[in-house]
Amino acid sequence: MAKLTVSDLELQGKKVLMRVDFNVPIKDGVIGNDNRIVAALPTIKYVVEHGGKAILLSHLGRVKTEDDKPGLSMRPVAERLSNLLNKPVTFVPTTEGKQLEDAIDGLNDGDVLVMENTRYEDVKDGKYVKRESGNDPELGKYWASLGDVFVNDAFGTAHRSHASNVGIASNMTQTAAGFLMEKEIKFIGGAVDNPEHPFVAILGGAKVSDKIGVIDNLLSKADKVLIGGGMTYTFYAAKGMKIGNSLVEKDKIDLAKEILDKAGDKLVLPEDSVVAEKFDNDAPHKTVEGDVPDGYMALDIGPKSIKTFEDVLKTAKTVVWNGPMGVFEMSNYAEGTLEIGKFLGTLSDAKTIVGGGDSTAAVQQLGVADKLSHISTGGGASLEYLEGKTLPGIAAISDK
Ligand code: AMP
């Protein structure tokens, strides 16, 4: 069933609790990259423009001791948000109590308030009590009592059951998705539940073990699953091929065999690789077909594989990509990843969905990100979503 979204809510004069993802890189109080704050602006502006009082909660980093707190304050984030919105933002340096409650009571329609890092609640009186990340029922109930409606726009934490997402939602009559969350549900959820065919998945990255759930789930949904990256060579080993010194998970070879048997020709492995003498950009390297020769390690897919993958992709109507095709951090082994990213940018008839830090970095570096349908904002959350798991943060959003 479709989920309630912020545009379904009556917001005028309401205290709107909003779980956003302001988990930005921060060092000595200086924000390294404010992409996540910028990404949250559409939902915040919508609430403000519709007369809601926006009360924002987010976690920032991991708080395990009292000493972690000062460096992980939300104050610089609130200041940046104020600059981006071009209006005052009230920052409350606490997560509960009279100061917070009074500040909320003092809000006018259209005002914005940011409370302190929700993970400050993980440490109380010097003890690591995990009230936020352990979803303490009293904490969720308390935060819920501060608002009239709840908007969850933090997809990055949707795979976790925390007080600030699931805890609040379970104490509210209405929980809606923000626009970012709505887009994740539409594209990733849509691809997994109801894809337009042909549906092609491209899965790369270092290890089979990290992606096994995704491979399994997508083999049952997709028409083709293209494999690249380091995990290729565990599959090669399972087929009895030579892998030289390539990355391999020996304890996953049997599993890889099972997958190959089950998948038949649905699973497509690279037919050639760029192989190098050492894990080094400047090491002697060459392209080989099939077996990886002794003394070499495979660090990228080769040109024939790129061509084969593109042939499969060109008729696709839905494409999901997660994980690089090679060691794309080194320029000599980046071509597979960059060519696939570039090609996705040309598929104007397909829904193209990219998840995972490395694939996202690749499409951004190529400048094709805005040609794609959706770039996921959540690493762990998007993988679990692709595995077909129910994400507690999404399950807790009200149905329409
Ligand atoms: P993951 O976090 O599982 O998505 O893996 C990403 C990492 O896998 C990147 O840092 C890549 O450099 C690495 N990687 C991709 N292909 C290979 C390969 N053939 N051999 C070793 N590492 C690889």
Side-chain angles (χ1 to χ4, degrees):
M1 194 187 287
K3 292 287 182 186
L4 200 68
T5 72
V6 61
S7 46
D8 298 317
L9 298 177
E10 175 52 57
L11 297 166
Q12 183 64 45
K14 295 271 169 65
K15 289 181 278 182
V16 185
L17 289 173
M18 301 181 68
R19 176 57 160 103
V20 289
D21 182 0
F22 283 166
N23 185 30
V24 292
I26 199 159
K27 199 160 185 272
D28 302 326
V30 180
I31 297 169
N33 168 330
D34 64 4
N35 284 351
R36 286 187 169 155
I37 309 176
V38 172
L41 293 177
T43 310
I44 298 170
K45 282 185 182 162
Y46 182 89
V47 168
V48 165
E49 282 160 12
H50 287 77
K53 303 166 183 177
I55 303 157
L56 308 184
L57 307 92
S58 174
H59 77 283
L60 178 58
R62 291 220 167 105
V63 179
K64 292 190 169 166
T65 65
E66 293 289 348
D67 291 345
D68 292 334
K69 288 186 178 178
L72 292 172
S73 169
M74 217 45 118
R75 186 184 291 276
V77 176
E79 284 166 6
R80 181 66 60 91
L81 177 65
S82 172
N83 290 337
L84 290 166
L85 287 172
N86 203 15
K87 67 184 266 142
V89 167
T90 304
F91 172 68
V92 182
T94 180
T95 43
E96 59 185 340
K98 188 160 180 336
Q99 187 184 2
L100 176 62
E101 292 152 24
D102 287 349
I104 292 173
D105 281 344
L107 292 175
N108 292 313
D109 297 353
D111 281 353
V112 180
L113 178 151
V114 172
M115 74 166 77
E116 189 50 282
N117 182 356
T118 56
R119 287 201 179 150
Y120 273 35
E121 288 288 340
D122 280 350
V123 175
K124 285 276 161 190
D125 303 322
K127 287 206 190 79
Y128 187 42
V129 290
K130 295 176 75 166
R131 288 188 84 210
E132 152 73 327
S133 37
N135 191 12
D136 180 318
E138 289 306 315
L139 184 59
K141 196 164 157 191
Y142 170 73
W143 279 336
S145 76
L146 302 174
D148 301 314
V149 288
F150 181 41
V151 173
N152 187 354
D153 211 17
F155 176 72
T157 54
H159 58 317
R160 306 265 183 246
S161 222
H162 289 176
S164 62
N165 58 355
V166 173
I168 297 178
S170 52
N171 288 284
M172 287 318 266
T173 39
Q174 273 193 317
T175 295
F179 295 125
L180 275 180
M181 182 73 96
E182 182 186 16
K183 199 162 175 253
E184 300 278 1
I185 296 172
K186 178 175 161 201
F187 283 100
I188 305 188
V192 171
D193 293 335
N194 193 15
E196 211 183 320
H197 291 273
F199 173 20
V200 181
I202 316 159
L203 301 174
K207 292 181 178 168
V208 182
S209 50
D210 291 342
K211 304 277 159 80
I212 189 69
V214 180
I215 299 174
D216 234 8
N217 189 41
L218 293 185
L219 274 173
S220 70
K221 317 263 171 172
D223 301 286
K224 290 279 181 204
V225 176
L226 313 178
I227 300 284
M231 68 168 142
T232 302
Y233 306 96
T234 301
F235 284 105
Y236 268 28
K239 289 176 67 143
M241 293 169 67
K242 288 174 67 172
I243 60 164
N245 301 325
S246 305
L247 201 64
V248 63
E249 286 171 279
K250 291 214 167 88
D251 59 337
K252 293 289 177 287
I253 293 176
D254 284 342
L255 185 65
K257 268 189 201 144
E258 278 172 38
I259 295 173
L260 287 168
D261 287 344
K262 201 164 61 180
D265 63 0
K266 220 182 225 196
L267 192 125
V268 184
L269 293 173
E271 63 218 73
D272 58 350
S273 310
V274 178
V275 300
E277 289 178 14
K278 278 194 295 193
F279 191 80
D280 181 338
N281 192 44
D282 301 322
H285 56 275
K286 60 184 181 184
T287 300
V288 297
E289 281 184 41
D291 291 320
V292 179
D294 290 340
Y296 284 87
M297 56 179 71
L299 297 179
D300 195 9
I301 61 173
K304 284 198 173 167
S305 310
I306 295 173
K307 176 81 180 50
T308 302
F309 285 10
E310 289 178 351
D311 282 342
V312 175
L313 287 165
K314 69 182 175 207
T315 56
K317 286 275 184 280
T318 309
V319 180
V320 165
W321 180 26
N322 189 300
M325 299 289 97
V327 183
F328 86 112
E329 300 93 329
M330 299 184 194
S331 59
N332 284 326
Y333 318 117
E335 194 167 326
T337 303
L338 296 180
E339 288 301 318
I340 294 298
K342 224 189 280 173
F343 195 75
L344 290 193
T346 68
L347 298 177
S348 47
D349 283 344
K351 283 194 184 114
T352 44
I353 300 150
V354 173
D358 296 318
S359 337
T360 301
V363 293
Q364 279 165 345
Q365 186 184 325
L366 287 160
V368 298
D370 58 356
K371 296 209 174 75
L372 307 175
S373 312
H374 181 61
I375 311 245
S376 180
T377 53
S382 69
L383 269 187
E384 290 198 22
Y385 211 6
L386 290 173
E387 283 175 30
K389 288 189 181 156
T390 299
L391 305 191
I394 293 179
I397 296 170
S398 315
D399 291 325
K400 243 198 222 286

